[in-house]
Amino acid sequence: AQSVTQPDIHITVSEGASLELRCNYSYGATPYLFWYVQSPGQGLQLLLKYFSGDTLVQGIKGFEAEFKRSQSSFNLRKPSVHWSDAAEYFCAVTGGDKIIFGKGTRLHILP
Amino acid sequence: GAGVSQSPSNKVTEKGKDVELRCDPISGHTALYWYRQRLGQGLEFLIYFQGNSAPDKSGLPSDRFSAERTGESVSTLTIQRTQQEDSAVYLCASAPGGVGSYEQYFGPGTRLTVT
């Protein structure tokens, strides 16, 4: 069955520190992978996506993610977080018309 | 250009009443999705439209939930005889549709509170 696991429900980092949010997926074929961000009271905004090609993808707001097929992972990274990055982050996978979302990781930023 | 819009932004209703939630997708987007997001939870898929047909209704939680779409435009999600457990944010997303078009654009959501 298709699934997405985000092992960390909450993560707290200091402003300026690096960030890595974990995402593992289970999918029978070549997956298409996404990271979305949801700020409080807002809808979801696409940060980046992986369809094929270079396994390191760059997104908006300085985020990047790396697709590792051998580990079934698509972790999100940022070298230096800003207070405005505090939000909930969702990893998602699809191979067709329905997208499966993870349960999300809430990112807290310490000043 | 205009994004996905949803109305109302907030809805408070009494238990047992029916509610209708509206989604206006991005013009030209043939695919439309409804999700439910309970407080502190991830997104729960409800239903997907390609044009005005719904090939995947697998996520509708009960027969109190229904949705329709007019052509490739507006969709309404109807919840009959609302229950307190229906309280959630209902998110709509649209996509250009077709094979290889997987990026979804989300609306701001409708926050439903059942008292």
Side-chain angles (χ1 to χ4, degrees):
Chain A
Q2 303 166 20
S3 66
V4 176
T5 302
Q6 294 180 245
D8 304 305
I9 298 174
H10 294 272
I11 282 191
T12 301
V13 298
S14 298
E15 190 169 17
S18 63
L19 170 71
E20 182 168 33
L21 301 183
R22 296 183 291 163
C23 173
N24 293 94
Y25 66 90
S26 173
Y27 194 76
T30 300
Y32 300 98
L33 296 155
F34 306 84
W35 275 98
Y36 284 86
V37 60
Q38 185 178 33
S39 297
Q42 303 295 311
L44 273 73
Q45 181 183 21
L46 181 70
L47 282 177
L48 48 79
K49 60 191 177 188
Y50 172 77
F51 284 179
S52 66
D54 193 346
T55 56
L56 182 64
V57 293
Q58 303 297 320
I60 62 171
K61 305 185 181 187
F63 286 92
E64 67 177 26
E66 186 170 13
F67 171 57
K68 294 185 176 180
R69 184 187 300 276
S70 62
Q71 297 177 19
S72 297
S73 69
F74 189 56
N75 294 349
L76 181 71
R77 301 195 293 250
K78 186 170 184 177
S80 176
V81 297
H82 186 263
W83 64 266
S84 60
D85 294 326
E88 185 136 26
Y89 292 80
F90 293 94
C91 180
V93 65
T94 189
D97 47 26
K98 187 163 74 174
I99 292 185
I100 307 297
F101 284 85
K103 294 189 182 299
T105 297
R106 183 166 295 278
L107 176 64
H108 306 270
I109 307 293
L110 295 175
Chain B
V4 177
S5 61
Q6 293 185 245
S7 60
S9 56
N10 280 284
K11 176 73 176 177
V12 180
T13 190
E14 292 180 354
K15 177 182 172 181
K17 301 283 190 184
D18 298 351
V19 295
E20 276 192 0
L21 312 181
R22 176 185 169 111
C23 173
D24 282 272
I26 293 172
S27 177
H29 280 195
T30 60
L32 187 146
Y33 306 78
W34 284 99
Y35 297 88
R36 180 169 68 178
Q37 186 177 27
R38 289 188 166 127
L39 186 64
Q41 301 294 310
L43 276 73
E44 178 185 3
F45 170 80
L46 297 179
I47 189 170
Y48 152 66
F49 287 92
Q50 182 63 252
N52 63 3
S53 68
D56 191 346
K57 304 179 182 179
S58 64
L60 293 177
S62 75
D63 59 8
R64 296 186 296 106
F65 287 73
S66 63
E68 62 180 26
R69 187 178 184 196
T70 306
E72 294 184 352
S73 60
V74 172
S75 175
T76 55
L77 176 69
T78 301
I79 309 173
Q80 295 178 310
R81 305 180 303 280
T82 52
Q83 303 295 312
Q84 287 185 330
E85 63 262 27
D86 299 333
S87 296
V89 175
Y90 289 82
L91 290 166
C92 173
S94 70
V99 175
S101 174
Y102 303 118
E103 181 176 333
Q104 296 185 5
Y105 297 80
F106 283 81
T110 293
R111 182 176 299 278
L112 175 65
T113 304
V114 182
T115 61

